[in-house]
Amino acid sequence: MPVGELFNPRSIALVGATDKSGWSISTLTNLRTHGFRGPVHLVNPRGGVVHGEQAFRGLSDIPGQVDLAYVMVPTTAVLSVLREGAKLGIRHYVILTAGFGETGPEGAALEAEIVGFARENDLTVLGPNGNGFINAAADVTPYGLPIPSPLLRGSVGVVLQSGALASSVLGFAQARNVGISLLTSMGNESLVTVTDVIDYLVDDPATRAIALFLESVRDPAAFSRAARRALLAGKPIVALKIGRSRLASRTAQAHTGALVGDDNVIDAAFRQLGVVRVRSLEDLIITAGLLAEVGPLPGPRIGVVTPSGGASEIIADRAEDEGLELPAFAPQTVARLREIVPAFGTVQNPLDVTGYVLIDRTLLGRALEAVTADPGVDAVMLLSDLPRLAPPDPAPVYATFAASAKRMAEAPMPVVVVSNVLTDVTEFGRSVQREAGFPYVAGGIEHGMHAIGAAVRWSRAYRAALEAANGAVPAKAVAITPVSAPAVEAAVEAGTGVWAEHRAAARLSSAGIPVVPGELVHDEESAVAAAVGFGYPVVLKAAAEGLGHKSDIGGVRLGLSDARDVERAYREVVAAAAAVPGAGRVGALVQPQRGGGVELLAGVVRDPAWGLTLAVGLGGIWVEALRDTALRVLPVDAAEVRRALDELRGTALLRGARGTEPADLDAVAEVVARVAAFAESLGDDLESLEINPLLVRGSHVEALDALITWRG
């Protein structure tokens, strides 16, 4: 839904204005004191004087056109306001009033009436149960809570699914000198959604970064589309998504279900979309502020300039946490710094220029200039606090910060400024920053390092998105051949219940996925014959429709080396399977024994919101204990799977730890991507598809066990 006209009205009516309401007082005060230049009309059914101004009895009594109606009437009167406004050609509404869908069935019914009427009459509605918005870029502030002064205009767009937190977020942004372009309190999102606002901010020239507070992602498909637009436009999205403590299992049959929870899927989806996820309101604003200031960073190699040895050690620790590199300075940089730094200082990265900065005000700036010339770093972090108190003669302070600002502006690489601790920027500090042209200062080492790490990760996603959009494919990316129609038809033919391994493996094999050979048998003699055909040693597994984890019931026997072993194993696994309630005809699956290599899991499970989700990680019997898994929301290609493999803690095993044979990770990625493509082709009835283990030995990749579960 387009919302440009909603956020940029030329005239506003406050419907339900009354001296008894703090909401009404605050909204009018905000409009009058923060620059709105159009007419503001007050509407009260009794007329008379409200807030010291003459009020109209209804919208119909207002002379001239009204672009936006800000509605504060009782719940049951809201629809009548929309009806009156629609007749007058008023198309845009903010509904402050609560008591709708958030209260239960009766309120939901009232909200549904509003939605139906608005859609029939092409109305744009923000809310209900929302505080409104602050379009700081255009000086339009129909917002129901007090706006602290000064209202800082800047380039961060803020979208909140919480009215109660909106003012706190705004206050913190202003305390840290982060200017906003737009702040929106979404309310119930009956018509205007978070996605609609993101789309507006992507196209808004005043916005350079977007900060989201999300209780839920109501429409993942629409959110994904908007997030991809933002990424390609170079506008970072930073999101604080709450609710991560709730972990849900998708299915009892597949290990994958125990690994894929709601919050894990959101993490994966955000990562794929280039959305930066943070864990606190402070990080939300500080990170968005930094990204709006610096834009894309060239890489993770950071040069650090500080006036503190202790801070240098903290920064080194946090850099490792964030995956940032602090490379040694180049020889020419070291030589130059030795001419600048006092003899009692140590020239290294992070660089402590020592407390001599209190004597030589140029020391920090000259060191910064030397480090920004180093060819081995991608960006420089400068530890610097804005001044808090004005000295008797502030001129030297302004001059020092102006000189530093000039050096940073002329530097050949980005410079990120971080303060020691998270404190409010004072009025004097704000003045120095403004007059000297000093850049944004991220608040505190902890939050600042997190913001730099987030900026590096977002920059990597941004460059990858541009390469993909321009048709640039990584050299080792492997194309995935479409799954054949016969294979899909065969798989869907009887898509119910749980498919045991022999049936699932046959369908995977028909889709071109390498699967260990096997033979289903129903007596001891046939089991021995199959074992002889494959050659010893062999594996025997219980086989019955609906049977999930065979090892849990004692239904697997490994390393069988002769006919007697096979006969005994057949009797044991069949007996174990027959004891399972509901088991159908029981037999055994005979397979050649495989050894060596690394065992992985490759599973796809259906998330109720985001759809099919791939989990790839260390497999075998330790899959749930180790939980070393990377997730991706489908679709994925081999290049994306390759990146997922690189995220695993156990990736060293795949690369050939302690002299073992390294895995061909491109071959692994191709097979896993093909598994994902096959899962997608099975349609909406698929609940989960799992291969565990997927054996990887050099370039040899082979599914040793498989399970398919259908919905319902």
Side-chain angles (χ1 to χ4, degrees):
M1 173 179 290
V3 292
E5 293 182 3
L6 169 72
F7 292 137
N8 293 276
R10 291 165 295 179
S11 59
I12 298 174
L14 304 186
V15 185
T18 171
D19 290 325
K20 299 178 181 179
S21 168
W23 303 99
S24 180
I25 295 169
S26 293
T27 306
L28 180 62
T29 300
N30 292 335
L31 290 166
R32 296 290 192 217
T33 60
H34 292 291
F36 182 63
R37 291 175 289 275
V40 179
H41 308 288
L42 306 182
V43 177
N44 184 294
R46 295 184 177 85
V49 176
V50 177
H51 306 324
E53 302 179 18
Q54 184 63 45
F56 298 95
R57 293 182 180 273
L59 289 169
S60 303
D61 297 332
I62 298 174
Q65 178 64 36
V66 172
D67 293 331
L68 173 69
Y70 189 90
V71 183
M72 302 175 285
V73 300
T75 305
T76 55
V78 170
L79 186 56
S80 63
V81 173
L82 268 62
R83 285 176 175 148
E84 181 184 10
K87 290 179 182 178
L88 299 170
I90 303 172
R91 296 188 55 246
H92 307 293
Y93 299 82
V94 172
I95 301 178
L96 175 78
T97 310
F100 290 94
E102 77 279 6
T103 63
E106 186 175 340
L110 290 173
E111 188 170 324
E113 282 190 82
I114 290 173
V115 171
F117 179 81
R119 285 179 173 157
E120 289 172 8
N121 292 273
D122 194 26
L123 307 182
T124 304
V125 176
L126 176 63
N129 187 34
N131 295 328
F133 65 87
I134 300 170
N135 187 348
D139 298 326
V140 183
T141 54
Y143 182 74
L145 294 172
I147 298 174
S149 293
L151 174 57
L152 300 181
R153 291 153 179 84
S155 54
V156 176
V158 183
V159 189
L160 302 153
Q161 286 181 329
S162 170
L165 287 177
S167 291
S168 297
V169 169
L170 178 62
F172 180 74
Q174 296 188 184
R176 284 306 313 165
N177 222 25
V178 177
I180 66 167
S181 55
L182 176 78
L183 182 144
T184 308
S185 173
M186 297 305 304
N188 291 2
E189 295 185 65
S190 61
L191 274 100
V192 174
T193 66
V194 166
T195 302
D196 296 327
V197 183
I198 294 174
D199 276 329
Y200 169 81
L201 294 172
V202 170
D203 297 326
D204 176 30
T207 300
R208 296 183 61 187
I210 301 167
L212 307 178
F213 177 87
L214 300 175
E215 294 172 341
S216 65
V217 179
R218 303 187 184 206
D219 186 343
F223 180 88
S224 298
R225 177 191 53 76
R228 290 189 185 98
R229 283 193 68 225
L231 185 60
L232 287 171
K235 294 195 176 183
I237 295 178
V238 183
L240 172 56
K241 168 66 178 69
I242 61 172
R244 61 191 177 95
S245 59
R246 181 167 52 90
L247 186 65
S249 176
R250 297 289 149 253
T251 169
Q253 289 292 342
H255 285 294
T256 313
L259 298 171
V260 178
D262 292 340
D263 194 66
N264 295 333
V265 175
I266 289 169
D267 258 348
F270 282 10
R271 190 180 302 112
Q272 287 171 257
L273 296 169
V275 175
V276 175
R277 191 173 185 187
V278 295
R279 304 298 188 188
S280 70
L281 291 171
E282 292 84 357
D283 280 328
L284 177 68
I285 296 304
I286 291 170
T287 303
L290 184 141
L291 281 162
E293 173 78 17
V294 304
L297 294 178
R301 302 174 302 171
I302 309 298
V304 180
V305 179
T306 85
S308 165
S312 297
E313 294 170 358
I314 297 173
I315 291 167
D317 287 344
R318 289 293 288 116
E320 185 171 312
D321 297 339
E322 296 294 336
L324 301 172
E325 301 171 21
L326 303 181
F329 291 134
Q332 62 268 34
T333 305
V334 173
R336 187 175 176 188
L337 287 171
R338 282 178 175 156
E339 296 176 354
I340 298 171
V341 176
F344 53 84
T346 302
V347 175
Q348 61 183 14
N349 189 20
L351 175 66
D352 171 19
V353 299
T354 76
Y356 203 73
V357 291
L358 297 175
I359 298 173
D360 181 357
R361 291 182 179 272
T362 71
L363 177 56
L364 198 64
R366 289 186 293 128
L368 174 66
E369 188 174 22
V371 174
T372 56
D374 191 293
V377 299
D378 300 309
V380 175
M381 171 187 164
L382 172 65
L383 193 69
S384 177
D385 284 289
L386 289 168
R388 296 186 58 79
L389 301 175
D393 180 11
V397 176
Y398 282 96
T400 299
F401 277 86
S404 292
K406 184 174 184 296
R407 282 191 172 96
M408 285 184 266
E410 295 173 350
M413 63 183 62
V415 177
V416 180
V417 186
V418 177
S419 64
N420 282 279
V421 294
L422 181 60
T423 55
D424 291 356
V425 178
T426 65
E427 282 305 313
F428 178 63
R430 201 186 309 275
S431 170
V432 170
Q433 189 169 24
R434 181 177 60 253
E435 297 300 325
F438 201 75
Y440 168 72
V441 179
I445 295 173
E446 172 65 27
H447 300 288
M449 293 301 295
H450 180 74
I452 295 172
V456 168
R457 291 187 289 273
W458 175 81
S459 301
R460 189 180 299 125
Y462 172 57
R463 286 189 291 271
L466 290 182
E467 288 177 1
N470 293 329
V473 180
K476 292 188 177 180
V478 182
I480 302 302
T481 306
V483 178
S484 66
V488 175
E489 292 170 3
V492 177
E493 180 181 356
T496 58
V498 178
W499 280 6
E501 179 183 352
H502 63 282
R503 195 174 183 188
R507 299 302 183 243
L508 288 166
S509 181
S510 70
I513 295 164
V515 178
V516 65
E519 184 174 334
L520 180 65
V521 297
H522 289 91
D523 56 61
E524 295 177 29
E525 183 178 350
S526 299
V528 171
V532 171
F534 288 128
Y536 292 104
V538 297
V539 176
L540 242 70
K541 303 175 183 176
E545 290 301 333
L547 184 61
H549 296 311
K550 300 174 288 295
S551 59
D552 292 348
I553 63 165
V556 178
R557 296 293 183 273
L558 305 175
L560 307 177
S561 57
D562 57 31
R564 183 176 301 177
D565 285 346
V566 170
E567 291 169 349
R568 182 175 62 255
Y570 179 87
R571 293 191 297 270
E572 291 172 349
V573 300
V574 167
V580 176
R585 186 187 182 194
V586 177
L589 184 65
V590 183
Q591 298 172 330
Q593 175 87 40
R594 299 295 198 224
V598 178
E599 293 185 345
L600 297 181
L601 169 138
V604 176
V605 67
R606 186 176 300 279
D607 179 85
W610 294 88
L612 293 178
T613 303
L614 169 72
V616 58
L618 295 185
I621 62 173
W622 301 108
V623 57
E624 289 184 32
L626 297 177
R627 303 185 73 85
D628 186 13
T629 309
L631 304 183
R632 292 295 188 274
V633 176
L634 300 191
V636 295
D637 59 12
E640 186 63 39
V641 176
R642 182 71 168 77
R643 286 188 285 271
L645 292 169
D646 288 338
E647 293 173 10
L648 300 176
R649 297 190 305 275
T651 189
L653 295 175
L654 293 169
R655 296 183 185 280
R658 293 185 176 271
T660 58
E661 182 181 11
D664 183 342
L665 293 178
D666 290 326
V668 178
E670 193 276 336
V671 170
V672 173
R674 189 161 184 76
V675 171
F678 179 63
E680 282 190 287
S681 73
L682 297 181
D684 294 338
D685 288 335
L686 178 70
E687 176 65 34
S688 67
L689 182 159
E690 180 175 284
I691 297 173
N692 183 33
L694 179 71
L695 179 66
V696 179
R697 188 174 60 246
S699 60
H700 177 81
V701 184
E702 187 178 42
L704 302 189
D705 202 341
L707 185 70
I708 295 177
T709 305
W710 301 92
R711 300 170 80 179

